[in-house]
Amino acid sequence: MKFGNCCFAYQPPGESYKEVVDRFVRLGVVSESLNFDTYWTFEHHFTEFGLMGNLFVACANLLGRTTKLNVATMDLVLPTGHPARQAEELLLLDQLSKGRFKFGAARGLYHKDFRVFGANIEESRNITEDFHNIIMKSTKTGSLHTDGQHIEFPDTRVYPEAYLDNIPTCMPAESAATTT
């Protein structure tokens, strides 16, 4: 049986941003020494509920500080980013970590995030499915392709190639409607 540890990077009243980030890193490093299999991170923007707006950077930091711990995004909010950039960042962390980076994605649920990033929350489920398919296919084929339904860009190669033959991924359910 494998056990993971989750960190929301919440900022309680009276705690500084530095303290939150220090705790986030410290818990990641300690997770390895306590033999946790995976340290899960959560993306949040514009709220003290979670101060990690760029999970690829946060995970890269933790992967550089550990040697055997898997580091993962539990809920990279796909509709608020570009799938080509997300694919490149996923593949780079897969290579740099020699397969210790795990990719988890979600559709998001905070209206403010969607407004600020110019994404359509009403279409978030379909966008998430589309972007996830684009990203995961690129890890197998080395190419990015879209059907133009939610985003358009020319077919292109993506680098680097995947380190793992099958990059682990997860997609948390956020509501009953999400799972039907």
Side-chain angles (χ1 to χ4, degrees), residues 1-5 28 31-40 63 66 68-72 100 102:
M1 184 178 299
K2 296 178 181 180
F3 292 92
N5 193 3
S31 293
E32 180 171 80
S33 67
L34 295 174
N35 293 315
F36 281 97
D37 176 68
T38 305
Y39 186 71
W40 295 93
L63 287 162
T66 58
K68 61 184 181 186
L69 182 71
N70 293 311
V71 179
R100 291 190 299 125
K102 310 302 178 206

mmCIF file of all heavy atoms in Angstrom, residues 1-5 28 31-40 63 66 68-72 100 102:
data_model
loop_
_atom_site.group_PDB
_atom_site.id
_atom_site.type_symbol
_atom_site.label_atom_id
_atom_site.label_comp_id
_atom_site.label_asym_id
_atom_site.label_seq_id
_atom_site.Cartn_x
_atom_site.Cartn_y
_atom_site.Cartn_z
ATOM 1 N N MET A 1 0.838 -1.164 0.000
ATOM 2 C CA MET A 1 0.000 0.000 0.000
ATOM 3 C C MET A 1 0.891 1.238 0.000
ATOM 4 O O MET A 1 1.913 1.278 0.664
ATOM 5 C CB MET A 1 -0.891 -0.008 1.244
ATOM 6 C CG MET A 1 -1.864 1.133 1.255
ATOM 7 S SD MET A 1 -2.986 1.144 2.664
ATOM 8 C CE MET A 1 -3.835 -0.381 2.460
ATOM 9 N N LYS A 2 0.481 2.235 -0.762
ATOM 10 C CA LYS A 2 1.225 3.484 -0.842
ATOM 11 C C LYS A 2 0.403 4.603 -0.222
ATOM 12 O O LYS A 2 -0.824 4.618 -0.332
ATOM 13 C CB LYS A 2 1.548 3.817 -2.298
ATOM 14 C CG LYS A 2 2.453 2.800 -2.957
ATOM 15 C CD LYS A 2 2.709 3.146 -4.395
ATOM 16 C CE LYS A 2 3.600 2.080 -5.030
ATOM 17 N NZ LYS A 2 3.860 2.375 -6.416
ATOM 18 N N PHE A 3 1.101 5.550 0.405
ATOM 19 C CA PHE A 3 0.443 6.678 1.041
ATOM 20 C C PHE A 3 0.983 7.988 0.472
ATOM 21 O O PHE A 3 2.180 8.102 0.217
ATOM 22 C CB PHE A 3 0.665 6.666 2.557
ATOM 23 C CG PHE A 3 -0.034 5.537 3.240
ATOM 24 C CD1 PHE A 3 0.613 4.330 3.449
ATOM 25 C CD2 PHE A 3 -1.352 5.668 3.650
ATOM 26 C CE1 PHE A 3 -0.029 3.276 4.069
ATOM 27 C CE2 PHE A 3 -2.002 4.625 4.263
ATOM 28 C CZ PHE A 3 -1.343 3.415 4.482
ATOM 29 N N GLY A 4 0.100 8.927 0.288
ATOM 30 C CA GLY A 4 0.489 10.248 -0.180
ATOM 31 C C GLY A 4 0.134 11.303 0.849
ATOM 32 O O GLY A 4 -0.626 11.060 1.789
ATOM 33 N N ASN A 5 0.669 12.475 0.660
ATOM 34 C CA ASN A 5 0.442 13.615 1.544
ATOM 35 C C ASN A 5 -0.030 14.777 0.674
ATOM 36 O O ASN A 5 0.512 15.005 -0.405
ATOM 37 C CB ASN A 5 1.746 13.967 2.259
ATOM 38 C CG ASN A 5 1.559 14.912 3.410
ATOM 39 O OD1 ASN A 5 0.442 15.286 3.752
ATOM 40 N ND2 ASN A 5 2.654 15.307 4.023
ATOM 41 N N GLY A 28 6.886 18.956 2.079
ATOM 42 C CA GLY A 28 7.291 18.117 0.952
ATOM 43 C C GLY A 28 8.537 17.316 1.263
ATOM 44 O O GLY A 28 8.586 16.104 1.033
ATOM 45 N N SER A 31 7.858 14.724 3.876
ATOM 46 C CA SER A 31 7.078 13.612 3.320
ATOM 47 C C SER A 31 7.993 12.512 2.803
ATOM 48 O O SER A 31 7.695 11.321 2.958
ATOM 49 C CB SER A 31 6.169 14.114 2.194
ATOM 50 O OG SER A 31 5.171 14.961 2.693
ATOM 51 N N GLU A 32 9.100 12.901 2.183
ATOM 52 C CA GLU A 32 10.046 11.896 1.703
ATOM 53 C C GLU A 32 10.684 11.157 2.871
ATOM 54 O O GLU A 32 10.768 9.924 2.869
ATOM 55 C CB GLU A 32 11.122 12.531 0.829
ATOM 56 C CG GLU A 32 12.120 11.507 0.321
ATOM 57 C CD GLU A 32 13.071 12.064 -0.705
ATOM 58 O OE1 GLU A 32 14.042 12.734 -0.318
ATOM 59 O OE2 GLU A 32 12.814 11.819 -1.896
ATOM 60 N N SER A 33 11.114 11.882 3.896
ATOM 61 C CA SER A 33 11.784 11.225 5.031
ATOM 62 C C SER A 33 10.823 10.320 5.811
ATOM 63 O O SER A 33 11.263 9.384 6.476
ATOM 64 C CB SER A 33 12.419 12.261 5.961
ATOM 65 O OG SER A 33 11.430 13.029 6.601
ATOM 66 N N LEU A 34 9.519 10.576 5.714
ATOM 67 C CA LEU A 34 8.520 9.724 6.372
ATOM 68 C C LEU A 34 8.005 8.616 5.445
ATOM 69 O O LEU A 34 7.059 7.911 5.778
ATOM 70 C CB LEU A 34 7.350 10.578 6.863
ATOM 71 C CG LEU A 34 7.690 11.579 7.967
ATOM 72 C CD1 LEU A 34 6.496 12.478 8.279
ATOM 73 C CD2 LEU A 34 8.168 10.857 9.218
ATOM 74 N N ASN A 35 8.639 8.489 4.295
ATOM 75 C CA ASN A 35 8.343 7.436 3.313
ATOM 76 C C ASN A 35 6.955 7.526 2.680
ATOM 77 O O ASN A 35 6.385 6.504 2.286
ATOM 78 C CB ASN A 35 8.574 6.049 3.918
ATOM 79 C CG ASN A 35 10.032 5.805 4.211
ATOM 80 O OD1 ASN A 35 10.892 6.112 3.376
ATOM 81 N ND2 ASN A 35 10.330 5.302 5.392
ATOM 82 N N PHE A 36 6.438 8.741 2.567
ATOM 83 C CA PHE A 36 5.241 8.903 1.752
ATOM 84 C C PHE A 36 5.638 8.647 0.302
ATOM 85 O O PHE A 36 6.757 8.945 -0.108
ATOM 86 C CB PHE A 36 4.664 10.317 1.886
ATOM 87 C CG PHE A 36 3.864 10.532 3.133
ATOM 88 C CD1 PHE A 36 4.443 11.114 4.251
ATOM 89 C CD2 PHE A 36 2.529 10.148 3.200
ATOM 90 C CE1 PHE A 36 3.706 11.318 5.406
ATOM 91 C CE2 PHE A 36 1.782 10.360 4.345
ATOM 92 C CZ PHE A 36 2.372 10.936 5.456
ATOM 93 N N ASP A 37 4.713 8.130 -0.471
ATOM 94 C CA ASP A 37 4.976 7.870 -1.882
ATOM 95 C C ASP A 37 4.896 9.144 -2.714
ATOM 96 O O ASP A 37 5.720 9.370 -3.594
ATOM 97 C CB ASP A 37 3.970 6.846 -2.420
ATOM 98 C CG ASP A 37 4.129 6.595 -3.901
ATOM 99 O OD1 ASP A 37 5.160 6.009 -4.283
ATOM 100 O OD2 ASP A 37 3.253 7.017 -4.675
ATOM 101 N N THR A 38 3.876 9.978 -2.436
ATOM 102 C CA THR A 38 3.593 11.134 -3.280
ATOM 103 C C THR A 38 3.216 12.340 -2.423
ATOM 104 O O THR A 38 2.532 12.204 -1.414
ATOM 105 C CB THR A 38 2.437 10.828 -4.259
ATOM 106 O OG1 THR A 38 2.760 9.654 -5.001
ATOM 107 C CG2 THR A 38 2.184 11.982 -5.218
ATOM 108 N N TYR A 39 3.653 13.503 -2.855
ATOM 109 C CA TYR A 39 3.261 14.778 -2.253
ATOM 110 C C TYR A 39 2.392 15.500 -3.278
ATOM 111 O O TYR A 39 2.859 15.847 -4.372
ATOM 112 C CB TYR A 39 4.509 15.607 -1.918
ATOM 113 C CG TYR A 39 4.248 16.878 -1.157
ATOM 114 C CD1 TYR A 39 3.864 16.852 0.172
ATOM 115 C CD2 TYR A 39 4.429 18.115 -1.758
ATOM 116 C CE1 TYR A 39 3.653 18.026 0.885
ATOM 117 C CE2 TYR A 39 4.226 19.291 -1.052
ATOM 118 C CZ TYR A 39 3.834 19.242 0.272
ATOM 119 O OH TYR A 39 3.632 20.393 0.974
ATOM 120 N N TRP A 40 1.110 15.682 -2.937
ATOM 121 C CA TRP A 40 0.128 16.263 -3.850
ATOM 122 C C TRP A 40 -0.014 17.753 -3.611
ATOM 123 O O TRP A 40 -0.128 18.201 -2.469
ATOM 124 C CB TRP A 40 -1.224 15.586 -3.648
ATOM 125 C CG TRP A 40 -1.216 14.139 -4.022
ATOM 126 C CD1 TRP A 40 -0.986 13.066 -3.192
ATOM 127 C CD2 TRP A 40 -1.423 13.594 -5.320
ATOM 128 N NE1 TRP A 40 -1.042 11.904 -3.910
ATOM 129 C CE2 TRP A 40 -1.316 12.188 -5.214
ATOM 130 C CE3 TRP A 40 -1.704 14.168 -6.557
ATOM 131 C CZ2 TRP A 40 -1.478 11.341 -6.305
ATOM 132 C CZ3 TRP A 40 -1.869 13.318 -7.645
ATOM 133 C CH2 TRP A 40 -1.750 11.938 -7.507
ATOM 134 N N LEU A 63 10.845 18.622 -6.382
ATOM 135 C CA LEU A 63 11.563 17.523 -7.035
ATOM 136 C C LEU A 63 13.072 17.719 -6.921
ATOM 137 O O LEU A 63 13.817 16.743 -6.780
ATOM 138 C CB LEU A 63 11.138 17.414 -8.503
ATOM 139 C CG LEU A 63 9.735 16.853 -8.719
ATOM 140 C CD1 LEU A 63 9.223 17.180 -10.115
ATOM 141 C CD2 LEU A 63 9.717 15.348 -8.455
ATOM 142 N N THR A 66 14.260 16.601 -3.332
ATOM 143 C CA THR A 66 14.033 15.216 -2.927
ATOM 144 C C THR A 66 14.660 14.278 -3.959
ATOM 145 O O THR A 66 15.032 14.704 -5.048
ATOM 146 C CB THR A 66 12.518 14.935 -2.812
ATOM 147 O OG1 THR A 66 11.890 15.213 -4.069
ATOM 148 C CG2 THR A 66 11.876 15.786 -1.723
ATOM 149 N N LYS A 68 13.514 10.561 -4.053
ATOM 150 C CA LYS A 68 12.655 9.413 -4.364
ATOM 151 C C LYS A 68 11.169 9.742 -4.289
ATOM 152 O O LYS A 68 10.345 8.993 -4.808
ATOM 153 C CB LYS A 68 12.976 8.229 -3.451
ATOM 154 C CG LYS A 68 12.759 8.531 -1.981
ATOM 155 C CD LYS A 68 13.176 7.382 -1.092
ATOM 156 C CE LYS A 68 12.883 7.801 0.349
ATOM 157 N NZ LYS A 68 13.325 6.933 1.340
ATOM 158 N N LEU A 69 10.810 10.858 -3.693
ATOM 159 C CA LEU A 69 9.411 11.246 -3.535
ATOM 160 C C LEU A 69 8.792 11.594 -4.886
ATOM 161 O O LEU A 69 9.380 12.344 -5.669
ATOM 162 C CB LEU A 69 9.315 12.466 -2.610
ATOM 163 C CG LEU A 69 7.920 12.986 -2.286
ATOM 164 C CD1 LEU A 69 7.184 12.018 -1.356
ATOM 165 C CD2 LEU A 69 8.013 14.370 -1.640
ATOM 166 N N ASN A 70 7.620 11.046 -5.172
ATOM 167 C CA ASN A 70 6.850 11.497 -6.326
ATOM 168 C C ASN A 70 6.179 12.812 -5.931
ATOM 169 O O ASN A 70 5.688 12.953 -4.807
ATOM 170 C CB ASN A 70 5.779 10.477 -6.708
ATOM 171 C CG ASN A 70 6.381 9.201 -7.230
ATOM 172 O OD1 ASN A 70 7.238 9.223 -8.095
ATOM 173 N ND2 ASN A 70 5.928 8.077 -6.705
ATOM 174 N N VAL A 71 6.163 13.753 -6.826
ATOM 175 C CA VAL A 71 5.535 15.051 -6.580
ATOM 176 C C VAL A 71 4.476 15.232 -7.663
ATOM 177 O O VAL A 71 4.734 14.994 -8.842
ATOM 178 C CB VAL A 71 6.565 16.196 -6.593
ATOM 179 C CG1 VAL A 71 5.894 17.535 -6.362
ATOM 180 C CG2 VAL A 71 7.640 15.941 -5.531
ATOM 181 N N ALA A 72 3.280 15.657 -7.232
ATOM 182 C CA ALA A 72 2.152 15.643 -8.146
ATOM 183 C C ALA A 72 1.291 16.898 -8.044
ATOM 184 O O ALA A 72 1.187 17.507 -6.985
ATOM 185 C CB ALA A 72 1.282 14.420 -7.852
ATOM 186 N N ARG A 100 9.340 11.030 -11.747
ATOM 187 C CA ARG A 100 8.753 11.206 -10.404
ATOM 188 C C ARG A 100 7.640 12.249 -10.367
ATOM 189 O O ARG A 100 6.946 12.371 -9.367
ATOM 190 C CB ARG A 100 9.827 11.589 -9.380
ATOM 191 C CG ARG A 100 10.806 10.471 -9.082
ATOM 192 C CD ARG A 100 11.699 10.787 -7.886
ATOM 193 N NE ARG A 100 12.513 11.975 -8.098
ATOM 194 C CZ ARG A 100 12.540 13.036 -7.285
ATOM 195 N NH1 ARG A 100 11.787 13.084 -6.210
ATOM 196 N NH2 ARG A 100 13.317 14.060 -7.562
ATOM 197 N N LYS A 102 4.001 13.514 -11.234
ATOM 198 C CA LYS A 102 2.697 12.946 -11.577
ATOM 199 C C LYS A 102 1.746 14.090 -11.903
ATOM 200 O O LYS A 102 1.738 15.121 -11.233
ATOM 201 C CB LYS A 102 2.136 12.112 -10.420
ATOM 202 C CG LYS A 102 3.105 11.082 -9.856
ATOM 203 C CD LYS A 102 3.594 10.105 -10.887
ATOM 204 C CE LYS A 102 4.589 9.124 -10.293
ATOM 205 N NZ LYS A 102 5.511 8.583 -11.246
#
